[in-house]
Amino acid sequence: GTGFFGAGKTSPDVQSVKLDDSAGTNLTGFTVASNTTITGAVVPTGIKAGTHSVIVTTGLGSNQVRTVKFTVTTSPPTVTSVNPAWGGTNRDYTISISGGGFYALTPSADVRSIYLVNGPVFTAFSVQSDALITGAVVPSGTTPGSYQVKVVTGGGENASTMWYEVKPLPTVTSVTPSSGSNVGANTISVFGTAFYGGDGIAGGANASADLSEVKISGPSDVVLAGWVITNSTQLTGAVIPANRISVTY
């Protein structure tokens, strides 16, 4: 550069050399070798990754032209687990993400975004430590599917492949038999989709029986007992108790 001796001076007039990162990091150990050269300026560890202008301050002020940059790099984070690893589409689901490098070798959190590949960007999360993120909210209405979870810091995004699965809501397409007497109990089979959590989803990480309740809805809802999930599209043995009101449920 120029003007490191100050106007009309023959000796160094540099008061500080720093970066314009968020902390305004001072560089130490420098030597003003001439009016145009500073050597030995030490960039300390723990600076957040990014490209930062170099600012030299003399008794006359600081350089206004800041085209000279110093780029700080670091390693990308890792993601080793997601808990829980699945949720539905009917409401927000909150997950925790474990891994490493969430501080990106700095003293504090450096997570810049979290997102699902081909899915939503997380708008809420809390970095608890270099290895744990909590409160990451998968929004209601996310399209069913399996998504890679990506954490982005100043070092880039994790290369590891960890999946979060959004399950579809179940559907009911038919009931057999579709009618019966209320004198005694009736046993029915129910057909539909997504009786398994992994139904129709690439990866099928949660392809197991995943129904918590079966009921008929009418003047008053009736929870059915005895049912068994045969596969992702069928359950059998659902018992409608006797003495129900004679209406269509």
Side-chain angles (χ1 to χ4, degrees), residues 189-233:
S189 296
V190 181
F191 300 87
T193 63
F195 297 165
Y196 276 21
D199 180 69
I201 294 179
N206 296 293
S208 58
D210 190 45
L211 292 185
S212 58
E213 183 180 75
V214 179
K215 65 183 178 181
I216 56 175
S217 180
S220 61
D221 291 350
V222 180
V223 176
L224 308 188
W227 51 269
V228 174
I229 297 178
T230 304
N231 55 50
S232 183
T233 62

Side-chain angles (χ1 to χ4, degrees), residues 54-76:
V54 179
I55 302 172
V56 176
T57 302
T58 68
L60 296 177
S62 304
N63 54 297
Q64 298 303 304
V65 177
R66 297 176 180 176
T67 56
V68 176
K69 307 289 185 179
F70 182 82
T71 299
V72 179
T73 62
T74 190
S75 301

Side-chain angles (χ1 to χ4, degrees), residues 35 43 71 74 114 133 136 145 165 170 220 235:
N35 189 49
V43 180
T71 299
T74 190
I114 304 173
I133 298 169
E165 186 173 354
S220 61
L235 65 86

Side-chain angles (χ1 to χ4, degrees), residues 4-13 34-35:
F4 298 154
F5 278 10
K9 295 185 178 182
T10 58
S11 60
D13 188 35
S34 70
N35 189 49

Side-chain angles (χ1 to χ4, degrees), residues 136-159:
V137 178
V138 182
S140 172
T142 300
T143 302
S146 285
Y147 298 91
Q148 293 185 53
V149 179
K150 294 295 183 179
V151 175
V152 181
T153 69
E157 66 181 31
N158 57 292

Side-chain angles (χ1 to χ4, degrees), residues 39-51:
T39 62
V42 177
V43 180
T45 61
I47 296 176
K48 291 188 183 298
T51 299

